[in-house]
């Protein structure tokens, strides 16, 4: 049996497919591909597959992770790649298929690219710089035990911040995985709390899923 890890894009209209609907979508994709997917055993067998990290509705991504097993261990990864891409829905495309190397628990971070559009991009850029340079960024976050105040500054890494004249574009890394998982909208919420500058989210894309040492999760 082959333990397969597929990396896929989720862009365009497909960014409005919720995580729950994505599960149904992938089930149909597997059936249409006619790949020899391994089914769970028991009273109600179903194809075994899992996603590494749920993606928020409205976010695009070039690095979503899908794990599944194939019963035919002689099948090539290229054949799996082509069979899935032939039946993937609009806006979704398999980028890479390989054997699973690391456990899901190795995931520690996710990288995001944000584009915040504003008529006064200079004022917005100054507000972003003010927030980034602050000693702490406190925000209310919903948890299983209720709402609590957390400081996302210590776990946030700003890779770049650019004023394009029409928008402020950022690349940031945030914790992701089984222990701590921060959404970039927390940063946006904190930004709204410190500025009166009107802006809107033009784009949010997940660009990488990383291990603790910043290497790409594979």
């Amino acid at each position: 049996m082959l333990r397969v890890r597929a990396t896929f894009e989720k862009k365009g209209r497909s960014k409005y497919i919720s995580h729950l609907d994505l599960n149904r979508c992938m089930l149909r994709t597997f059936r249409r591909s006619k790949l020899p997917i391994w089914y769970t055993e028991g009273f109600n067998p179903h194809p075994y597959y899992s996603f590494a990290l749920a993606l928020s509705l409205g976010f695009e991504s070039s690095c979503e992770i899908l794990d599944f097993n194939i019963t035919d261990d002689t099948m090539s990864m290229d054949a799996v790649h082509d069979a899935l891409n032939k039946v993937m829905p609009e806006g979704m495309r398999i980028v890479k298929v390989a054997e699973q190397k690391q456990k899901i628990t190795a995931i520690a971070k996710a990288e995001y690219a944000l584009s915040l559009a504003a008529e006064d991009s200079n004022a917005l850029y100054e507000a972003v710089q003010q927030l980034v340079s602050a000693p702490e960024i406190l925000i209310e976050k919903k948890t299983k035990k209720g709402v609590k105040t957390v400081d996302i500054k210590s776990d946030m890494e700003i890779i770049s911040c650019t004023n394009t004249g029409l928008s402020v574009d950022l690349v940031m890394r945030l914790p992701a995985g089984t222990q701590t998982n921060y959404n970039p909208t927390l940063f946006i919420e904190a930004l709204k709390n410190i500025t009166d500058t009107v802006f809107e989210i033009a784009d949010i894309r997940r660009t990488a899923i990383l291990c603790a040492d910043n290497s790409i999760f594979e």
Side-chain angles (χ1 to χ4, degrees), residues 172-188:
M172 66 172 60
R173 290 174 182 167
L174 295 169
T178 55
Q179 298 299 318
T180 306
N181 199 326
Y182 288 163
N183 190 304
T185 54
L186 292 175
F187 177 85
I188 294 171

Side-chain angles (χ1 to χ4, degrees), residues 114 116 131 137-142 147-148 150 152 172 183-195 199 201 204:
L114 289 70
L116 307 178
L131 184 61
I137 302 177
L138 300 178
I139 200 72
E140 290 189 346
K141 185 178 185 295
K142 292 182 180 179
V147 178
K148 70 174 183 179
V150 297
I152 64 173
M172 66 172 60
N183 190 304
T185 54
L186 292 175
F187 177 85
I188 294 171
E189 184 179 340
L191 181 60
K192 288 179 178 178
N193 290 337
I194 68 161
T195 183
F199 67 91
I201 303 170
I204 299 182

Side-chain angles (χ1 to χ4, degrees), residues 37-139:
I37 303 296
W38 180 77
Y39 276 67
T40 59
E41 299 176 356
F43 181 75
N44 184 28
H46 59 274
Y48 168 80
Y49 59 94
S50 61
F51 299 95
L53 290 174
L55 184 68
S56 296
L57 188 67
F59 287 18
E60 292 190 333
S61 176
S62 58
C63 58
E64 294 308 281
I65 300 294
L66 171 68
D67 288 349
F68 55 96
N69 298 334
I70 287 182
T71 57
D72 182 2
D73 57 8
T74 65
M75 196 167 193
S76 71
M77 292 297 170
D78 286 342
V80 176
H81 175 280
D82 293 344
L84 287 174
N85 265 341
K86 286 179 181 178
V87 293
M88 290 288 278
E90 179 186 349
M92 293 173 59
R93 182 178 69 88
I94 300 294
V95 177
K96 177 184 176 183
V97 174
E99 291 193 48
Q100 298 173 26
K101 294 181 180 179
Q102 298 168 300
K103 294 183 178 179
I104 293 297
T105 51
I107 296 174
K109 307 175 185 179
E111 184 175 280
Y112 297 90
L114 289 70
S115 182
L116 307 178
E119 289 188 8
D120 190 348
S121 63
N122 292 327
L124 181 60
Y125 180 77
E126 290 178 4
V128 170
Q129 293 300 317
Q130 177 187 339
L131 184 61
V132 169
S133 61
E136 59 183 11
I137 302 177
L138 300 178
I139 200 72

